[in-house]
Amino acid sequence: MAAAIKLHRHVGRRRAARFLAEGPNLVEAALRRDLVIEVFVTEAALSRFESMLADVPVHVVTDRAAKALSDTVTPVGLVAVCEAPSTSLNEVLADRPRLVAVAAEISEPGNAGTLIRIADAMGADAVVLAGNSVDPYNGKCLRASAGSIFAVPVVSEADAGAAVSALGSAGLRVLATTVDGEVSLDDTDLSGPTAWLFGPESHGLPAELAAMAAHRVRIPMSGGAESLNVAAAAAICLYQSAKAHRAG
């Protein structure tokens, strides 16, 4: 169990290539992907979720031990140690994706997880967390994804510029969302393979990344708000892309 507790920290997850999934929804999603290595569960939780855990090693632990494994306020008593998927950007591109969401410099795990969930809902082929972005297997990011992190490939690329170049070279039209974009989303052709670049609300996309895009796209807003957070912007843009692909 001591090795599992170390997975609360990013360095522990990176070294072990493992992460913790907590709660029945995330554990069940991880089980469907055959990522679960072992499960720690309290007696009370085992009585509720035993049928789900029939084919994996199970360790019954005390409530105190379960709390040490949890990073939530009210632990359910069910935590799985999972193998981290190792999908690369090259593998994603080999499958000729039509829609990719790229989140650059996104440090807030809730926003990153929500973006992953939106990308999954809109049928995106992958999510790329580029530059100095959050670890997607952070507990808060996992919960915000609501299990979608197990349904859509999520790739972390430290070199954001190289990732954007690779997407463009693979035939995707790279579009960047910016407040002062020269093209309105309403007037943007989204019928072909597209990679959307999203940046943090606080300071937007790095200028060098925005400059790499084929177009910088603004979302028309008739209200008083000056900007949208990254998850809201992603929802609007990915929906419009999915709509264009359905029409095509």
Side-chain angles (χ1 to χ4, degrees), residues 5 7 17 20 30 32 39 45 57-59 69 73 93 96 107 141 145 170 173 181-182 200 209 212 216 220 226 247:
I5 291 174
L7 301 179
L20 298 178
R32 287 197 298 268
V39 174
V58 173
H59 309 285
L69 285 166
V73 177
L93 296 178
R96 301 178 66 84
S107 60
C141 186
S145 81
R173 188 176 185 222
E182 74 272 11
L209 283 185
M212 295 177 70
R216 283 141 298 281
E226 293 183 358

Side-chain angles (χ1 to χ4, degrees), residues 166-183:
L167 289 161
S169 297
L172 289 102
R173 188 176 185 222
V174 179
L175 300 174
T177 54
T178 61
V179 174
D180 57 352
E182 74 272 11
V183 180

Side-chain angles (χ1 to χ4, degrees), residues 98-99 118-124 190-192 235-248:
R98 286 182 53 79
L99 183 59
I118 291 164
D120 178 29
M122 293 300 108
L190 300 175
S191 58
I236 293 168
C237 295
L238 295 177
Y239 173 81
Q240 290 295 90
S241 281
K243 181 179 178 181
H245 288 173
R246 289 194 300 269

Side-chain angles (χ1 to χ4, degrees), residues 25-26 29 32 116 120 142-152:
N25 294 337
L26 287 176
R32 287 197 298 268
I116 292 167
D120 178 29
L142 285 168
R143 290 191 296 277
S145 81
S148 285
I149 197 165
F150 301 116
V152 61

Side-chain angles (χ1 to χ4, degrees), residues 105 150 159:
E105 309 294 334
F150 301 116
D159 190 333

Side-chain angles (χ1 to χ4, degrees), residues 22 26 70-72 113 117 136 138-147:
E22 182 177 358
L26 287 176
S70 172
D71 69 348
T72 63
R117 184 178 184 181
N138 169 293
K140 186 175 180 181
C141 186
L142 285 168
R143 290 191 296 277
S145 81

